[in-house]
Amino acid sequence: MTEILLLGSFHFMESSIDFYCDEVQNELDLLVSKLLSFQPDAIAIEAAVREQIRIDESYKKFSLKDLQNTNKMKNETLGNIYMFGETYPITYDNEAIQIGYRFGKMLGLDRIYAIDDDTMLNMDALNSPTSFLTEAMNALDMDVKEHTKDTLQKLYQYYNSEKFSKLNHNVYIQANAIHIDNHYTGAEMVTKWYERNLKIFSNIQRLAIKSKRLFIIYGAGHLQILRELINADNNLKLVDVYKYI
C-alpha cells in the first residue's frame, strides 16, 4: 500500500504575497521542514505529463541556492512549459518550485513527477449563473477573502480544510444545473472537470505502483475529488495532512 500526502495549495502567481522576501522564504523553509518527516520517495506536481522533459530540465537547473538569490528568482526562469495551448516561462513564483522542487532537493531526489492533464474547460456556464451558482461563488469568494492576511502556515491550513473544499466544490455542483439553449452547458463543463481529475488520479495510481510514500502538491480546488478517489482505492492510503502542516 502506498501512503499519499496530498497538500492543497493556492496558486502563488495569482497571489499578492512577496515570495522572494526573507520572511516568506523562512516560512516556506519551515513548512517544508515539517513535511520532511513524511520522507516521500516521490514528489508529484501540477504540470502536464507530456511536459515531463521540461520538468526534468527545470528541476536539474534548480538549486536550493536559488532561494537565497532574490534577484535571480525575480529576473530569471527555469525554462518554458506548454500548458492550455500556450507556452509559459517556468518562474519562481510557483508553488511547484517553491515547495515541490525545494522539497525534492532537500530529500536528494533525482526527479519530480508531472501528473496533470491540462484539459481545457469551457466556462460559458459561469456567464449565465443561476441564483444558486451566484450564491455559491459569493460564499467561496467571501470565505477566501477572510484569509488574505493569514500567515503562510494558516493559509495552508485553510486551503486544506474541509470547509474550503466544500465551498469550492459547490460552485461546480451548482454550475452543473445550467442549461443554455437547451444544451447541458453546465454539465458538460463539470464533466470536463471530472475528466481532468480522473486522468490526474490515473497518473497518481501509476506512479504509486513504484512508490511507498508519495507527496503531491496540487491546486486546492482539486482536493474534494482527488481525496474521494484516493480513499476509494484499496491500494492507496491518504495520510492526514494536518500532521505535517
Side-chain angles (χ1 to χ4, degrees), residues 7 33 89 96 102 129 177 180-181 201 209-210 221 230 238 243:
L7 179 68
S33 294
R102 183 193 304 250
I180 299 177
D181 297 329
F201 180 59
I209 291 172
K210 53 184 179 181
I230 292 168
L238 188 64
K243 290 182 179 179

Side-chain angles (χ1 to χ4, degrees), residues 121-182:
L121 294 185
N122 183 337
M123 307 296 284
D124 287 350
L126 301 183
N127 296 327
S128 302
T130 63
S131 60
F132 291 136
L133 176 55
T134 299
E135 182 181 346
M137 290 191 295
N138 288 341
L140 175 62
D141 185 57
M142 288 176 61
D143 202 58
V144 168
K145 284 180 178 177
E146 288 183 8
H147 296 272
T148 52
K149 297 189 185 230
D150 282 357
T151 63
L152 203 64
Q153 180 184 21
K154 287 192 176 298
L155 277 173
Y156 272 94
Q157 290 172 344
Y158 167 66
Y159 279 104
N160 284 273
S161 68
E162 289 293 334
K163 182 181 181 182
F164 172 81
S165 285
K166 288 180 179 179
L167 286 171
N168 183 83
H169 194 62
N170 190 42
V171 172
Y172 291 97
I173 296 302
Q174 300 309 323
N176 190 72
I178 292 175
H179 278 56
I180 299 177
D181 297 329
N182 294 320

